[in-house]
Amino acid sequence: MDRIVLSLLVDNTSGVLSRVAGLFSRRGYNIESLTVGVTADERYSRMTVVSYGDQSVLEQIEKQLRKLEDVRDIKELKPGHSVYRELIMVKVRANANQRQAVNAISSIFRATIVDVGKDSLTVMLTGDQSKLDALINLLEDYEILELARTGLTGLSRGSDDIRYLP
């Protein structure tokens, strides 16, 4: 199974997310990760969609997305030619004696402690998937109370393939 990371420039209107997700659902394709946010031009949003499949399935996904009226541009974000990031927040149980150890683990990854409770710490980290997975692996020695991941987002490197819309 191959992985594809697509960056979609779409109209920033209601129902676009539903139509994109519906396309995947109707055809039985799985969305591994999906992030959406408005761009510098508020008329458009950028979606980063990650999916898996054989080459013919991945080609079909891209062809079907191009047919959607709201989709203005599609780029495949290829490894080495793109920058990918993900954000994670992990709340771990940590009493006063354990806080220093959790802080030390966080420092190794350049993570930030964003909340301190009486018996918990919330750690925030951005990076690639392997970095986030490594942090989770080390924090498993503590009780993970809650965990939230944003999903992958990315942009292509450089300015050669920028598309300007009217």
Side-chain angles (χ1 to χ4, degrees):
M1 296 274 272
D2 295 324
R3 176 174 102 154
I4 193 167
V5 180
L6 297 173
S7 177
L8 283 61
L9 194 59
V10 299
D11 291 333
N12 185 15
T13 57
S14 61
V16 176
L17 177 59
S18 178
R19 286 187 283 283
V20 169
L23 181 147
F24 279 79
S25 174
R26 284 188 305 278
R27 287 163 178 77
Y29 305 145
N30 186 41
I31 296 175
E32 181 74 21
S33 172
L34 172 68
T35 59
V36 185
V38 70
T39 65
D41 184 338
E42 290 185 10
R43 297 176 298 166
Y44 305 105
S45 291
R46 181 165 312 279
M47 290 184 178
T48 306
V49 183
V50 180
S51 191
Y52 288 88
D54 61 34
Q55 199 56 42
S56 64
V57 166
L58 298 179
E59 287 172 10
Q60 194 62 29
I61 288 171
E62 191 170 342
K63 285 178 186 175
Q64 294 298 318
L65 286 169
R66 287 191 188 283
K67 291 180 182 179
L68 292 178
E69 192 174 300
D70 302 309
V71 175
R72 300 296 174 195
D73 189 39
I74 299 176
K75 286 185 222 172
E76 182 178 351
L77 300 179
K78 296 184 180 199
H81 300 282
S82 306
V83 179
Y84 307 133
R85 293 293 180 270
E86 188 175 353
L87 178 131
I88 189 169
M89 292 196 308
V90 185
K91 185 184 295 182
V92 295
R93 186 174 309 282
N95 61 33
N97 297 330
Q98 296 170 316
R99 285 190 188 128
Q100 189 60 38
V102 173
N103 192 36
I105 291 169
S106 300
S107 294
I108 291 168
F109 290 91
R110 294 190 181 125
T112 306
I113 306 291
V114 293
D115 185 61
V116 179
K118 208 171 183 179
D119 62 350
S120 67
L121 290 174
T122 302
V123 179
M124 180 182 73
L125 177 65
T126 56
D128 62 27
Q129 288 179 304
S130 62
K131 183 178 181 180
L132 276 54
D133 291 341
L135 175 68
I136 292 169
N137 187 43
L138 287 177
L139 291 176
E140 284 178 345
D141 291 343
Y142 304 88
E143 182 183 355
I144 295 177
L145 301 171
E146 290 185 287
L147 187 145
R149 286 179 94 143
T150 60
L152 197 68
T153 193
L155 291 173
S156 59
R157 293 185 183 272
S159 61
D160 295 338
D161 64 349
I162 302 296
R163 176 155 182 215
Y164 297 98
L165 298 174

